[in-house]
Amino acid sequence: MQASLLEILRSIPDHRRAEGKRFDLSTVLLYAILSMVAGANSYRQMHEFIRIHRQRLNEAFGLELPYSPSYCGLRLILQGVDPTALEAAFRRHAVSLSKPPAVEG
């Protein structure tokens, strides 16, 4: 069965203390990934992408990010993510995708 990227991102452990969790980690990760796919290559550009598209993204994914994290907040959140856990999540997602059709040749 194919697991959604958001479901898999939810398995990544959150490094922040309980009182520091203003934003859901999986939501921030998903929106950061989408911002990079859209061409963002800095924390400021990720912030701007999320700020501009937040309401549309919330509606599309059924999420509730109340507002865009600042670019400094994004940096702190993203730099604290365990890279091994993130890689494992991407690998699980890749494995869950259906295989491409065989090319006859």
Side-chain angles (χ1 to χ4, degrees), residues 52-61:
I52 291 168
H53 300 287
R54 179 188 55 81
Q55 186 173 3
R56 193 173 353 182
L57 292 168
N58 283 346
E59 291 170 5
F61 293 102

Side-chain angles (χ1 to χ4, degrees), residues 15-27:
H15 63 283
R16 300 171 293 166
R17 297 187 328 237
E19 56 274 356
K21 294 181 183 179
R22 191 172 298 159
F23 306 103
D24 176 61
L25 178 63
S26 59
T27 302

Side-chain angles (χ1 to χ4, degrees), residues 76-94:
L76 289 172
I77 293 168
L78 297 176
Q79 286 182 341
V81 173
D82 177 15
T84 305
L86 186 59
E87 179 185 358
F90 276 113
R91 289 184 184 279
R92 276 194 310 280
H93 180 63

Side-chain angles (χ1 to χ4, degrees), residues 17-96:
R17 297 187 328 237
E19 56 274 356
K21 294 181 183 179
R22 191 172 298 159
F23 306 103
D24 176 61
L25 178 63
S26 59
T27 302
V28 171
L29 288 172
L30 177 64
Y31 290 4
I33 290 165
L34 293 174
S35 70
M36 288 184 279
V37 168
N41 59 15
S42 71
Y43 295 115
R44 286 182 194 263
Q45 290 175 352
M46 283 191 254
H47 161 76
E48 279 302 302
F49 175 87
I50 295 169
R51 185 185 65 77
I52 291 168
H53 300 287
R54 179 188 55 81
Q55 186 173 3
R56 193 173 353 182
L57 292 168
N58 283 346
E59 291 170 5
F61 293 102
L63 300 172
E64 293 185 20
L65 191 70
Y67 54 92
S68 176
S70 68
Y71 72 92
C72 293
L74 280 171
R75 185 183 71 231
L76 289 172
I77 293 168
L78 297 176
Q79 286 182 341
V81 173
D82 177 15
T84 305
L86 186 59
E87 179 185 358
F90 276 113
R91 289 184 184 279
R92 276 194 310 280
H93 180 63
V95 166
S96 77

Side-chain angles (χ1 to χ4, degrees), residues 5-22:
L5 180 58
L6 181 60
E7 291 170 339
I8 291 173
L9 291 174
R10 286 186 175 131
S11 70
I12 296 174
D14 197 338
H15 63 283
R16 300 171 293 166
R17 297 187 328 237
E19 56 274 356
K21 294 181 183 179
R22 191 172 298 159

